[in-house]
Amino acid sequence: MPQRTFFSIFLAFCSVFGLLFSSLDAAAQIKMKAGSGFTLQNADSFYRDNDRKLIVLQGNVIISYGDQTVSCDKATIFESTKEIEAEGNLVINSPTAYVAGDRARFNYETGNGVVYNGLVRSGQVVFEGRIVRKIGPQEYEADSAYYTACETCPPAWSFTGSKIQAQLGGYAFIRNSVLEISHFPVFWLPYIVVPLKSDRQTGFLIPGLEFTSGGTALYQSFFWANSRSTDSTWTLKNYSFRGLKGLVNYRYVQTDTSGGEMNAGLIQDKVFVSEDSYLAQPNREPVFNRWFFRFENLYELPSGFVQKSNFNFVSDLYYARDFEREVPGYGSPALENRFSLTKNTQNTHSSLDVSHYTNNLKSDPIAQNFDSVHRFPELRYSIVDQMFDQSGFVFRLDTNYVNYAREDYAYDDVWLNGTNRELDTTRTQVGGGQFNEDLDVIRTGQRFDFTPEISRPFMIGEMIDILPYLNFRHTQYAFDVSPSTGSTFQTSPYRQYVGGNIAARMRFSGIYGIDETDPKDRRIKHEIEPEIAVSSFSLIHESEHSFFGGQSQLPVFRINEPMSNSDFASGRGIQFDYRDRPPIRKLVTFGLTNRLIEKTWEGENPKYQEIVDFRLQQSYDIDEARKDTDPKYPWSDISALLEARTRHFETLTSVNYYPYHNATNTFTRLRGKDSLGNFLEVRFSQKYRITENLSEDYTNRDENLGFGAGITHKYLNLAGGIDYQPTHFPRALGQPFSSVVKSWTADLMLKPPGNCWSVRTLIRQKINTEPEFSLEFGFLFGGEGTANVF
């Protein structure tokens, strides 16, 4: 080989290796520049022009800069301008967005640039454009744009527009927008703002539609995120019959456990002023402003104090009937407003309670509330069980003070209609407006109750628990009435007595399901507890007073029953509440408890659950049995309570059988459920009015048969129920269908695939009202979990 030829070959070989090592060194140098610019992760071929400060990468190119990564077929890096031009299968990934397009040019220090025929995806939100510009860390602009938050293809809804300005975690501003349903254009808007975040955000909520007794109602709400800890919703709602209503909701949070909510509304109701109940009274105005105000709060204050409020004020007694979704309490005898301040320590309870009641049991919807009795205030102080050193003696104390007040007279006028006692509500009968201590019913005054108690529990052997206790009770009253001159009527009567009780309880138990080969097997413990208790109360002193009633001793079968008109008619007297009822003198109570406790394991930790609890009880009045005259009714009702809870079934049943009336009051609820939240429920209740007149017709009763169901699905939620009056069932008895159905409700929410929109339909009929229908659409503009504002 000639020397000249060999030298040429050697130079070519060196050039190839020199270029190869130069390329590899350049690539290594680029990778080392990650902290100041970008890092080359991969490229099939590499070319660098040092004079032009140009780098060309081809084939499976992967470049990273900051927290973003670019993959493409070809990339040209301009070091002088710190820009990258990428094309072919272009994808840019970051923690907040996925960007794709035909080609792009961007600055690798700022991250800003342009993507042609680009797509941006952030979470569930997608927008596209002929040209997409990244103008900030989370800001984009798109021309000839398209936007949706649906995961389906085609999307359930989308917007197209001439231009989109979007801030991830903020809002998208769309110009010249067209709403499309499955790519079919529906309507045009010159401008629209939609959210791209799941945080609370200020904006208009989706309009709503209702069909009510007041006509078709359309409403529009505006949500205002006032601050990090407060927000409010302002709503205008127009009823086709009633008129325009304004509503406001305000919420605030002070700490993780303290906060509150306020709701209010106002309407000039055109329907209400035409109702017969409103027009029944003379001089009624043709315009009536109906309103409501609700406020709830819970404050955890320093030094262990807790303050709670629950206020419900309305303009009229029919407001809860007509607008039950705004004010609770339809069908209740009174609307309660309450303020409380409590403090609990390890050994004591202290509380201040103020309760105001609005009487709903009136035919006139705007009647004054002057005759309602309020607790203004109620003070309580209790000392929980405290043991004296190691003596075994336990002490406790309960004190209670209440001031009963109202706007009207401190008493209700009563007059004798022949031999019948009747209330004189107009105070126009003989003696009306002047307190008569022999007839009138005292309704206001003060009461102080003081009850210390001492006990000494002990055991006999290992199976018998004995609990004896002894207490003293003093109740002092002060009445706000003015007796006639020369009367011996006491305005400050009192009652004192001592009471004792001794209870004995035995416990038998057995464990079932034991598998010696598996120490973690499922086991059931069965406990049986028979119990007997004897109580005796001896009256020390009781003032002779009409407030206590001439026949103060209640029969034992009524001690747990509410007061009724029979107490008034019999002359026993109407006291403030159950605390004024004297205790049964000597009583023997028999009880039996059956209990099943399940033991399972969660990993290495045992889990105990009471799955069945059945209790049976009846009392016997010894004093009643010793009476010299008939009739004698020493036995109380037989009460039974069953509670059962398993993974797929639960029930609650209470039964009270009254042997002298041959009547049974009962309530039962059966529910089957699964782990997904689906359930099926049956309810039944039966209630007799138990009085001391055993000759009453006890075939009449209030009954209710109810059914409920709930279905939870990925695309559908359904809940509903219906309540019947079984005594009017079946229809063959001649009753129309509307008379056997008391109330019903159906709540259906459809959540089609895509997690981007929903529709909720709520239909319900309350007792003695027309059915109501509401329709609510939800568009989740920022994807699942975001607010429905636009």
Side-chain angles (χ1 to χ4, degrees), residues 554-567 572 581 635-637 656-666 686-694 696-698 700-702:
L554 280 171
V556 67
F557 58 76
R558 282 208 59 212
I559 57 176
N560 294 318
E561 292 293 306
M563 294 181 182
S564 67
N565 289 335
S566 63
D567 294 297
R572 174 177 289 114
R581 290 181 170 182
W635 288 104
S636 73
D637 58 297
N656 294 86
Y657 173 70
Y658 298 86
Y660 303 116
H661 305 75
N662 194 24
T664 303
N665 289 345
T666 183
Q686 174 180 272
K687 178 70 175 178
Y688 292 90
R689 188 172 63 91
I690 302 300
T691 69
E692 296 161 53
N693 183 7
L694 303 186
E696 288 190 11
D697 182 7
Y698 284 94
N700 294 324
R701 60 193 180 274
D702 293 327

Side-chain angles (χ1 to χ4, degrees), residues 515-558:
D515 185 354
E516 298 295 343
T517 63
D518 184 6
K520 294 185 178 181
D521 66 320
R522 174 176 176 267
R523 301 182 182 184
I524 301 293
K525 182 179 183 180
H526 181 204
E527 294 182 346
I528 300 177
E529 295 181 356
E531 182 177 359
I532 183 171
V534 179
S535 59
S536 177
F537 297 89
S538 299
L539 184 65
I540 298 177
H541 184 273
E542 180 182 82
S543 303
E544 293 185 5
H545 205 280
S546 58
F547 181 79
F548 300 137
Q551 305 171 24
S552 59
Q553 190 70 21
L554 280 171
V556 67
F557 58 76
R558 282 208 59 212

Side-chain angles (χ1 to χ4, degrees), residues 116-127:
Y116 298 91
N117 293 325
L119 174 147
V120 179
R121 181 189 297 273
S122 178
Q124 199 171 309
V125 172
V126 175
F127 58 89

Side-chain angles (χ1 to χ4, degrees), residues 388-412:
F388 293 107
D389 295 328
Q390 302 299 321
S391 65
F393 286 93
V394 177
F395 172 79
R396 66 179 301 167
L397 173 68
D398 289 309
T399 60
N400 176 270
Y401 166 82
V402 189
N403 178 49
Y404 293 93
R406 69 174 177 181
E407 300 175 32
D408 197 17
Y409 286 75
Y411 60 92
D412 286 338

Side-chain angles (χ1 to χ4, degrees), residues 12-176:
F13 182 80
C14 291
S15 298
V16 171
F17 271 84
L19 178 62
L20 175 62
F21 283 110
S22 174
S23 300
L24 293 176
D25 181 63
Q29 290 178 12
I30 293 173
K31 289 183 179 181
M32 293 174 62
K33 295 171 69 175
S36 59
F38 65 90
T39 300
L40 173 62
Q41 300 292 341
N42 187 74
D44 293 344
S45 66
F46 171 89
Y47 170 76
R48 180 170 188 171
D49 188 333
N50 289 325
D51 293 335
R52 298 169 59 189
K53 294 185 178 181
L54 183 72
I55 300 173
V56 179
L57 308 170
Q58 288 186 328
N60 300 313
V61 178
I62 301 177
I63 302 172
S64 63
Y65 58 95
D67 58 356
Q68 302 187 63
T69 301
V70 179
S71 62
C72 59
D73 294 336
K74 180 181 178 181
T76 303
I77 303 173
F78 303 91
E79 294 183 290
S80 59
T81 61
K82 299 181 179 180
E83 289 182 317
I84 298 176
E85 187 175 278
E87 57 184 294
N89 296 313
L90 171 65
V91 173
I92 305 175
N93 272 310
S94 71
T96 58
Y98 167 92
V99 180
D102 292 343
R103 62 188 181 91
R105 188 181 181 106
F106 52 89
N107 186 292
Y108 57 75
E109 284 195 345
T110 65
N112 295 342
V114 179
V115 181
Y116 298 91
N117 293 325
L119 174 147
V120 179
R121 181 189 297 273
S122 178
Q124 199 171 309
V125 172
V126 175
F127 58 89
E128 304 175 14
R130 181 176 56 85
I131 298 176
V132 177
R133 289 176 289 274
K134 188 172 187 291
I135 59 176
Q138 303 295 333
E139 292 80 33
Y140 295 84
E141 288 183 352
D143 296 337
S144 300
Y146 163 89
Y147 159 81
T148 187
C150 291
E151 296 177 339
T152 53
C153 186
W157 62 264
S158 61
F159 283 98
T160 60
S162 59
K163 188 173 184 178
I164 291 180
Q165 292 177 291
Q167 180 180 8
L168 303 183
Y171 298 89
F173 304 86
I174 307 176
R175 298 179 184 177
N176 195 27

